[in-house]
Amino acid sequence: MITVNARATFSPEGPFKPATIERRDLQPHDVLIEIKYAGICHSDIHTARGEWGPVNYPLVPGHEIAGIVTQVGSEVTKYAVGDRVGVGCMVDSCRECVNCHKGEEQYCLSGNTGTYGAIDRYGQYTQGGYSTHIVVTEDFVVSIPNDLELDAAAPLLCAGITTYSPLRHWGAAPGKKIAVVGLGGLGHMAVKIAHAMGAEVTVLSQTWKKKEDGLRLGADHYYATNDPETFKNLAGSFDLIVNTVSAKVDLNAYLSLLALDGTLVNVGAPADPLSVHALTLIGQRRSFAGSMIGGIRETQEMLDFCAEHHIAPEIEVISADQIDEAWERVLASDVRYRFVIDISTMDKE
């Protein structure tokens, strides 16, 4: 086993403390990655605080990982020492079901293996990217193009693919009117990507305070949802709405903004159930859908797309000692727009 340094939380209340964790010895198709940067995702907070189910502590979160390959297994063919690589929200799947064969490993019928908080095929509890190194099978590693800086690339492994996948699936393109609900870590990426795909993009944020940012990021229009006139004036306007908010919202109000055959896609995952009135769907043959990340093939496609279109998240790089503070700021929506941990600052103790 390989012992590496990490930052772990030992209870739902935290705080983070230095820890050492074990990574498996390299199997023939494994790569050892020295992690350079790890993004902070709202999912890390939901998981660590037990909001999505029981947690085995200590837990090392982190599924937005960018680093360098430092060792490869004897049968690895896709990567070599020195390659710039990333790891996202999953590190394995059954690889045998119909969804895996379609390249949709995120929807593995046996359940994909999460980068942290899961039991892998070796019976080990997975630990994530708030650590100095990780061992992953080559099939669940992606290549980071040279045109993307490693620190900015890290959030693409979750925030980027989580928004790219539904935009691609539901056909964001010239002539399509798309709304993005929430201008946070996910939302700001949705705006950038939808704009690059050629769609007409509208931001729906709670207040007007991020209007300048929204337009700068690529939105054509910006509306505040705390203004009741917004829902009246925009009724029946959009082909696609991507809801990035990880909190309970009035879905029926947002569904009313869809045009005929429009779709509202939830990518945020609030802890509380959401309610939909059937009549809101029936009236204009509207759809309410959900979407998770993307498969490995699509994640690589997303990274290449972002490199080609010079798309990168807006980030604030922090040290390992600032994780607790960063989490509180995420909960207070006080980040523009993604925290990224500089793993070189992690204690070597």
Side-chain angles (χ1 to χ4, degrees):
M1 301 290 281
I2 304 167
T3 300
V4 306
N5 295 299
R7 285 297 173 93
T9 181
F10 292 78
S11 71
E13 296 78 26
F16 277 89
K17 298 178 182 178
T20 57
I21 58 175
E22 291 185 332
R23 302 297 191 187
R24 67 176 179 265
D25 290 327
L26 267 66
Q27 302 301 303
H29 288 281
D30 284 344
V31 296
L32 174 64
I33 301 166
E34 180 183 355
I35 301 173
K36 297 296 186 180
Y37 297 96
I40 291 178
C41 177
H42 206 143
S43 299
D44 299 344
I45 302 174
H46 283 305
T47 302
R49 297 191 172 178
E51 295 170 358
W52 287 350
V55 179
N56 292 325
Y57 299 99
L59 176 72
V60 177
H63 56 208
E64 297 181 338
I65 298 168
I68 304 293
V69 175
T70 59
Q71 189 177 342
V72 299
S74 60
E75 297 180 25
V76 168
T77 60
K78 297 180 180 179
Y79 301 100
V81 171
D83 284 353
R84 307 165 82 248
V85 296
V87 177
C89 300
M90 56 184 173
V91 290
D92 207 348
S93 70
C94 81
R95 310 192 215 180
E96 297 176 352
C97 70
V98 61
N99 291 349
C100 286
H101 281 297
K102 287 180 179 178
E104 303 279 10
E105 301 94 345
Q106 73 276 32
Y107 301 123
C108 175
L109 295 177
S110 297
N112 69 67
T113 303
T115 304
Y116 60 85
I119 303 297
D120 66 19
R121 65 176 60 222
Y122 304 100
Q124 298 175 7
Y125 187 63
T126 60
Q127 301 283 16
Y130 296 11
S131 59
T132 58
H133 297 78
I134 191 169
V135 174
V136 183
T137 180
E138 64 176 327
D139 289 339
F140 282 77
V141 175
V142 289
S143 177
I144 295 178
N146 289 329
D147 289 339
L148 294 174
E149 296 295 333
L150 283 181
D151 55 356
L156 295 177
L157 278 303
C158 178
I161 188 57
T162 296
T163 50
Y164 180 91
S165 187
L167 288 169
R168 180 63 79 202
H169 182 78
W170 276 277
K176 291 293 185 76
K177 294 184 176 182
I178 293 175
V180 177
V181 181
L183 194 62
L186 292 176
H188 91 289
M189 288 307 308
V191 170
K192 288 190 173 193
I193 293 169
H195 173 74
M197 290 177 171
E200 181 179 334
V201 185
T202 297
V203 170
L204 301 174
S205 189
Q206 282 185 297
T207 68
W208 292 103
K209 68 180 182 179
K210 294 182 180 179
K211 179 179 180 180
E212 184 177 335
D213 274 6
L215 299 178
R216 174 179 60 83
L217 294 168
D220 300 284
H221 315 284
Y222 182 107
Y223 292 89
T225 57
N226 65 1
D227 180 353
E229 291 297 307
T230 290
F231 290 93
K232 178 180 176 181
N233 294 336
L234 296 179
S237 294
F238 302 108
D239 302 299
L240 175 66
I241 300 174
V242 180
N243 177 25
T244 70
V245 177
S246 289
K248 198 169 185 178
V249 299
D250 183 356
L251 287 181
N252 299 290
Y254 289 101
L255 285 165
S256 73
L257 303 182
L258 290 171
L260 177 67
D261 289 328
T263 301
L264 169 61
V265 182
N266 236 66
V267 296
D272 296 322
L274 301 171
S275 177
V276 175
H277 295 303
L279 289 176
T280 312
L281 298 174
I282 292 170
Q284 292 294 314
R285 202 162 57 202
R286 297 169 173 133
S287 299
F288 175 53
S291 178
M292 286 177 62
I293 51 171
I296 299 302
R297 181 182 63 239
E298 189 175 48
T299 301
Q300 187 64 63
E301 177 187 304
M302 175 274 304
L303 288 169
D304 295 341
F305 178 90
C306 288
E308 178 185 353
H309 293 273
H310 308 290
I311 296 172
E314 312 274 309
I315 63 171
E316 180 176 337
V317 178
I318 64 168
S319 72
D321 290 333
Q322 296 175 292
I323 296 173
D324 291 304
E325 176 190 348
W327 277 30
E328 293 307 317
R329 286 180 57 190
V330 168
L331 293 172
S333 299
D334 180 26
V335 54
R336 301 214 177 163
Y337 281 91
R338 205 67 159 182
F339 286 116
V340 174
I341 306 165
D342 179 352
I343 299 301
S344 71
T345 65
M346 192 162 289
D347 293 343
K348 304 301 181 182
E349 300 173 3

